């Protein structure tokens, strides 16, 4: 069973990701694929629950952002250890579109050794791969205290620190 | 040179701890093999033919004497007493133990060094001209820009899992010594007609299986926009670069398949969104970085020295070295001295721990405590007073580091090949030795002039064979070592890819073929000033082909 980390806390897994064929549950929030979201859009929007959307890592946000804008949850896919495409999707969501909702990472690369990079790219929740120990994973966020690139609020951004100390 | 501040140091220390933890989890069996592989590669650790190989980063080739002493210490303590300088200005150790790598990294961190991103599908070590800051033909010192880029690229969260490796190089001179057009991003620092500094940006050059000379993507990028533009290029690549086929995954293939115009349009569109964001450099960022690379306190009276001229007259061996291994410095009375790592009987680029210590010592005494590594696998003392050159030479000669062959035929570059690399089809170090033996006579080499021979043990092209004046590529023919030969490549401003001579050549014949090529060149050149490259471009492949394959002109059907 996969554990869920949200905002650096281990929380009960409350995410239901539907197969494209599965019927929508009667109550409770769930996530559908982008394809299903586009196909059954009117019907899904009429439901009283929150429907999240899972993007394939090949999706071009510039063409689909308008359809996602009001979602509270966007799920990004990290299918394999070496496939980093969704990192760019996360950056675009946060930086270009100023998306404020939850971004959840799922897939085979959601492990101890990648989640800090994911967090720094703007992802705030992580459905860990089944073999991962969530307590070990939590320590990943403390591997580095600062970074050369702008990152999450917690981390120090080195160029920014330099500019600040320069203007003192 | 650049010195770490508290942030840089902390980051590198944290990296050592992180990697130690990864190694421990791997050894304990909780980190799967293939994942540890990807992680250790991002720390420069390969598992090679016989043992792991650790590649240590030397950002744009700059080393302090203290760092070189540490490299010597590591060679002694964890390796077999030597290291190997690569064509990317880095140093490699061929025999470290996997369990000890965290300790090696800790030792490196103690002298502001690391192995971060020296391998793996991420942004690699930023490289530049090994004569940066002292070259006569330089517009501005490229190193501050290299360091700014290095920092931006270090642990960039978005670009750590790219389709393939990514290399960035800077040049700021009219003669490109950094081969920028065979890099994923090649940056030429320029001034526009308004007198403003900026960059010409080339994207999608590269060697390997599909060698391509990188096309110009932006004619002029303003100085402060360096990082945002690189980020835009990388973002397009990370999203769209091919991941289905490792051999088509470099950005050069994306540029080629997308078409230059369309690719450029995508980069520009991306850049438009981020150019005025926080990646935009501020003048103070540049000033801060430039303050790390100020000129040394040169001896104002250095040019008054007359002993150097005397020594040149008196000692012909010294004069031969001076002619070949010195380059002109901007500062009157100073010279740039090359330390040749190409001696007979030694693999190109190899250096022992004792030699490293002695080089460090010499740099402390005579060259402000700094050493540089070059793309051609040699070292450089960049700031030596002419009156000290004789002493430097005497010591280098004792050390076997004074072969007067810089730029000559035996100053060839070559990858580790079959001797160390598990991907190799054929050996390259042995061939280098055969070539050394044929052209042993240095006077003869001087007569031949500057020829760049580059050799790789396989298509990956770590030895840059495709841009060698003479390129040699190891191929496998039914389990035997064979070699494909090219002529006419160049990595300089007139960058071009070499053309194949014809069928591949056996191990026994390969050095002889190099000799034949040289003979044809000598017979055909108009004067000593006509290089092999120029001669080849004038007379074409035919005369070379005939000599190499012993074909009479009439018997040769179609080229
Ligand atoms: S060119 Fe091939 S053989 Fe040589 S080092 Fe690179 S991968 Fe190994």
């Amino acid at each position: 069973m996969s554990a869920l980390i949200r905002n650096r806390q281990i929380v009960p897994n409350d995410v239901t990701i539907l197969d494209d064929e599965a019927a929508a549950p009667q109550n409770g929030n769930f996530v559908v694929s982008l394809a299903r979201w586009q196909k059954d859009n009117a019907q899904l929007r009429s439901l009283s629950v929150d429907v999240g959307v899972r993007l394939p890592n090949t999706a071009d946000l510039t063409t689909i952002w308008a359809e996602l804008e009001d979602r509270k949850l966007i799920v990004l896919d990290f299918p394999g250890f070496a496939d980093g495409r969704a990192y760019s999707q996360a950056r675009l969501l946060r930086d270009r579109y100023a998306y404020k909702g939850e971004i959840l990472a799922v897939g085979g690369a959601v492990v101890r050794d990648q989640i800090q990079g994911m967090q720094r790219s703007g992802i705030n929740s992580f459905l860990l791969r089944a073999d991962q120990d969530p307590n070990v994973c939590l320590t990943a966020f403390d591997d580095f205290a600062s970074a050369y690139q702008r990152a999450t609020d917690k981390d120090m951004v080195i160029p920014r620190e330099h500019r600040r100390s320069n203007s003192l | 040179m650049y010195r770490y501040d508290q942030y840089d140091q902390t980051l590198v220390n944290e990296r050592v701890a992180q990697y130690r933890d990864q190694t421990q989890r791997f050894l304990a069996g909780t980190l799967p093999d293939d994942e540890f592989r990807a992680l250790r590669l991002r720390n420069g650790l390969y598992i090679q033919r016989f043992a792991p190989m650790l590649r240590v980063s030397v950002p744009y080739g700059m080393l302090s004497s203290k760092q070189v002493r540490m490299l010597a210490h590591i060679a002694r303590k964890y390796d077999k007493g030597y290291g190997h300088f690569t064509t990317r200005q880095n140093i490699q150790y061929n025999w470290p133990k996997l369990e000890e790598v965290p300790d090696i990294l800790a030792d490196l961190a103690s002298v502001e060094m690391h192995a971060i991103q020296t391998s793996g599908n991420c942004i690699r070590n930023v490289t530049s001209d090994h004569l940066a800051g002292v070259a006569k033909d330089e517009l501005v010192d490229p190193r501050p820009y290299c360091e700014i880029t290095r920092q931006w690229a270090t642990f960039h969260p978005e670009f750590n899992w790219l389709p393939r490796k990514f290399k960035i190089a800077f040049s700021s001179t009219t003669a490109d010594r950094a081969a920028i057009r065979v890099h994923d991003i090649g940056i030429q620092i320029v001034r526009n007609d308004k007198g403003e500094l900026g960059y010409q940006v080339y994207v999608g050059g590269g060697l390997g299986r599909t060698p391509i000379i990188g096309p110009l993507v932006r004619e002029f990028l303003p100085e402060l926009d360096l990082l945002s533009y690189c980020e835009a290029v990388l973002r397009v690549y990370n999203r769209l670069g091919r991941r289905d086929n490792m051999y088509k995954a470099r950005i050069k293939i994306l540029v080629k398949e997308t078409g230059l115009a369309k690719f450029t349009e995508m980069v520009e569109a991306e850049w438009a969104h981020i150019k005025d964001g926080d990646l935009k450099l501020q003048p103070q960022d540049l000033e801060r970085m430039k303050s790390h690379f100020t000129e040394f306190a040169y001896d104002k009276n250095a040019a008054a020295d007359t002993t150097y001229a005397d020594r040149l007259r008196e000692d012909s061996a010294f004069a031969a070295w001076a002619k070949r291994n010195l380059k002109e410095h901007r500062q009157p009375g100073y010279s740039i001295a090359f330390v040749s790592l190409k001696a007979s009987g030694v693999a190109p680029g190899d250096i022992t721990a004792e030699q490293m210590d002695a080089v460090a010592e010499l740099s402390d005494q005579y060259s402000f405590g700094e050493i540089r590594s070059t793309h051609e696998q040699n070292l450089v003392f960049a700031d030596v007073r002419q009156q000290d050159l004789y002493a430097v030479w005497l010591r280098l000669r004792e050390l076997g580091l004074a072969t007067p062959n810089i730029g000559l035929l035996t100053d060839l570059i070559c990858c580790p090949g079959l001797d160390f690399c598990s991907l190799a089809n054929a050996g390259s170090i042995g061939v280098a030795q055969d070539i050394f033996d044929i052209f042993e006579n240095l006077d003869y080499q001087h007569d031949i002039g500057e020829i760049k021979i580059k050799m790789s043990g396989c298509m990956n092209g770590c030895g840059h064979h495709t841009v060698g004046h003479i390129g040699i590529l190891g191929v496998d023919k039914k389990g035997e070592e064979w070699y494909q030969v090219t002529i006419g490549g160049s990595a300089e401003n007139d960058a071009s890819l070499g053309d194949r001579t014809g069928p591949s050549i056996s191990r026994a014949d390969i050095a002889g073929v190099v000799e034949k090529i040289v003979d044809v060149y000598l017979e055909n050149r108009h004067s000593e000033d006509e290089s092999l490259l120029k001669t080849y471009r004038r007379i074409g492949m035919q005369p070379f082909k005939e000599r190499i394959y012993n074909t009479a002109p009439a018997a040769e059907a179609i080229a």
Side-chain angles (χ1 to χ4, degrees), chain A residues 4-12 14-15 73 102 104 124-126:
Chain A
L4 183 71
I5 292 179
R6 179 178 286 138
N7 300 328
R8 304 188 62 169
Q9 309 268 330
I10 301 168
V11 296
D14 56 4
V15 181
L73 171 64
E102 176 174 351
L104 170 71
N124 65 316
S125 50
F126 308 89

Short mmCIF file of all heavy atoms in Angstrom, two decimals, chain A residues 4-12 14-15 73 102 104 124-126:
data_model
loop_
_atom_site.label_atom_id
_atom_site.label_comp_id
_atom_site.label_asym_id
_atom_site.label_seq_id
_atom_site.Cartn_x
_atom_site.Cartn_y
_atom_site.Cartn_z
N LEU A 4 1.10 8.32 1.55
CA LEU A 4 0.93 9.66 0.97
C LEU A 4 1.61 10.68 1.87
O LEU A 4 1.42 10.69 3.08
CB LEU A 4 -0.56 9.98 0.84
CG LEU A 4 -0.89 11.32 0.18
CD1 LEU A 4 -0.58 11.29 -1.30
CD2 LEU A 4 -2.37 11.67 0.39
N ILE A 5 2.44 11.50 1.24
CA ILE A 5 3.01 12.63 1.96
C ILE A 5 2.40 13.90 1.36
O ILE A 5 2.41 14.07 0.13
CB ILE A 5 4.55 12.67 1.81
CG1 ILE A 5 5.18 11.49 2.56
CG2 ILE A 5 5.12 13.99 2.34
CD1 ILE A 5 6.70 11.41 2.45
N ARG A 6 1.86 14.73 2.23
CA ARG A 6 1.28 15.98 1.74
C ARG A 6 1.85 17.10 2.60
O ARG A 6 1.81 17.03 3.83
CB ARG A 6 -0.24 15.93 1.83
CG ARG A 6 -0.92 17.22 1.36
CD ARG A 6 -2.45 17.10 1.43
NE ARG A 6 -2.98 16.25 0.37
CZ ARG A 6 -3.96 15.34 0.56
NH1 ARG A 6 -4.47 15.14 1.76
NH2 ARG A 6 -4.38 14.63 -0.46
N ASN A 7 2.41 18.09 1.96
CA ASN A 7 3.01 19.22 2.69
C ASN A 7 3.91 18.74 3.83
O ASN A 7 3.84 19.19 4.96
CB ASN A 7 1.93 20.15 3.23
CG ASN A 7 1.08 20.71 2.10
OD1 ASN A 7 1.58 20.90 0.99
ND2 ASN A 7 -0.20 20.92 2.36
N ARG A 8 4.75 17.77 3.49
CA ARG A 8 5.76 17.24 4.40
C ARG A 8 5.19 16.53 5.61
O ARG A 8 5.83 16.42 6.66
CB ARG A 8 6.74 18.34 4.83
CG ARG A 8 7.40 19.01 3.62
CD ARG A 8 8.49 19.95 3.99
NE ARG A 8 9.56 19.25 4.68
CZ ARG A 8 10.74 19.80 4.94
NH1 ARG A 8 10.99 21.03 4.59
NH2 ARG A 8 11.67 19.11 5.56
N GLN A 9 3.97 16.04 5.50
CA GLN A 9 3.37 15.23 6.57
C GLN A 9 2.92 13.90 5.96
O GLN A 9 2.42 13.89 4.83
CB GLN A 9 2.10 15.90 7.11
CG GLN A 9 2.24 17.34 7.52
CD GLN A 9 2.59 17.45 8.99
OE1 GLN A 9 2.21 16.60 9.78
NE2 GLN A 9 3.35 18.48 9.35
N ILE A 10 3.06 12.84 6.74
CA ILE A 10 2.48 11.57 6.31
C ILE A 10 0.99 11.62 6.66
O ILE A 10 0.64 11.87 7.81
CB ILE A 10 3.15 10.39 7.03
CG1 ILE A 10 4.65 10.40 6.73
CG2 ILE A 10 2.52 9.07 6.60
CD1 ILE A 10 5.47 9.48 7.62
N VAL A 11 0.15 11.44 5.66
CA VAL A 11 -1.30 11.53 5.89
C VAL A 11 -1.97 10.28 5.33
O VAL A 11 -1.39 9.59 4.49
CB VAL A 11 -1.90 12.80 5.23
CG1 VAL A 11 -1.33 14.07 5.85
CG2 VAL A 11 -1.67 12.79 3.72
N PRO A 12 -3.18 9.97 5.80
CA PRO A 12 -3.88 8.80 5.24
C PRO A 12 -4.10 9.02 3.74
O PRO A 12 -4.36 10.14 3.31
CB PRO A 12 -5.23 8.80 5.98
CG PRO A 12 -5.04 9.68 7.17
CD PRO A 12 -3.96 10.65 6.85
N ASP A 14 -5.94 9.44 0.82
CA ASP A 14 -7.34 9.76 0.49
C ASP A 14 -7.54 10.02 -1.00
O ASP A 14 -8.52 10.61 -1.41
CB ASP A 14 -7.78 10.99 1.30
CG ASP A 14 -6.87 12.19 1.06
OD1 ASP A 14 -5.96 12.09 0.20
OD2 ASP A 14 -7.06 13.23 1.72
N VAL A 15 -6.58 9.58 -1.81
CA VAL A 15 -6.66 9.86 -3.24
C VAL A 15 -7.19 8.64 -3.98
O VAL A 15 -6.64 7.55 -3.86
CB VAL A 15 -5.28 10.24 -3.81
CG1 VAL A 15 -5.39 10.55 -5.30
CG2 VAL A 15 -4.69 11.42 -3.05
N LEU A 73 -6.90 19.79 -7.61
CA LEU A 73 -5.82 18.79 -7.59
C LEU A 73 -5.41 18.45 -9.02
O LEU A 73 -6.25 18.12 -9.86
CB LEU A 73 -6.32 17.51 -6.88
CG LEU A 73 -5.39 16.30 -6.97
CD1 LEU A 73 -4.06 16.57 -6.25
CD2 LEU A 73 -6.06 15.06 -6.37
N GLU A 102 -3.31 21.75 -5.23
CA GLU A 102 -2.39 20.67 -4.88
C GLU A 102 -1.82 20.05 -6.16
O GLU A 102 -2.54 19.81 -7.13
CB GLU A 102 -3.16 19.61 -4.08
CG GLU A 102 -2.33 18.39 -3.74
CD GLU A 102 -3.09 17.42 -2.80
OE1 GLU A 102 -4.17 17.80 -2.29
OE2 GLU A 102 -2.59 16.30 -2.61
N LEU A 104 0.11 16.63 -7.09
CA LEU A 104 0.46 15.32 -6.55
C LEU A 104 1.32 14.56 -7.56
O LEU A 104 0.98 14.49 -8.73
CB LEU A 104 -0.83 14.53 -6.26
CG LEU A 104 -0.66 13.05 -5.91
CD1 LEU A 104 -0.05 12.88 -4.52
CD2 LEU A 104 -2.00 12.32 -5.98
N ASN A 124 3.67 19.39 -4.16
CA ASN A 124 3.56 19.41 -2.70
C ASN A 124 3.00 18.13 -2.10
O ASN A 124 2.98 17.95 -0.90
CB ASN A 124 2.75 20.62 -2.22
CG ASN A 124 1.31 20.55 -2.66
OD1 ASN A 124 1.04 20.24 -3.82
ND2 ASN A 124 0.39 20.83 -1.76
N SER A 125 2.55 17.19 -2.95
CA SER A 125 2.20 15.90 -2.35
C SER A 125 2.70 14.74 -3.20
O SER A 125 2.91 14.88 -4.42
CB SER A 125 0.71 15.81 -2.05
OG SER A 125 -0.03 16.16 -3.17
N PHE A 126 2.90 13.64 -2.52
CA PHE A 126 3.65 12.53 -3.12
C PHE A 126 2.97 11.21 -2.76
O PHE A 126 2.86 10.87 -1.59
CB PHE A 126 5.08 12.51 -2.57
CG PHE A 126 5.77 13.84 -2.71
CD1 PHE A 126 5.66 14.81 -1.71
CD2 PHE A 126 6.48 14.16 -3.85
CE1 PHE A 126 6.26 16.05 -1.85
CE2 PHE A 126 7.07 15.39 -4.00
CZ PHE A 126 6.97 16.35 -3.00
#
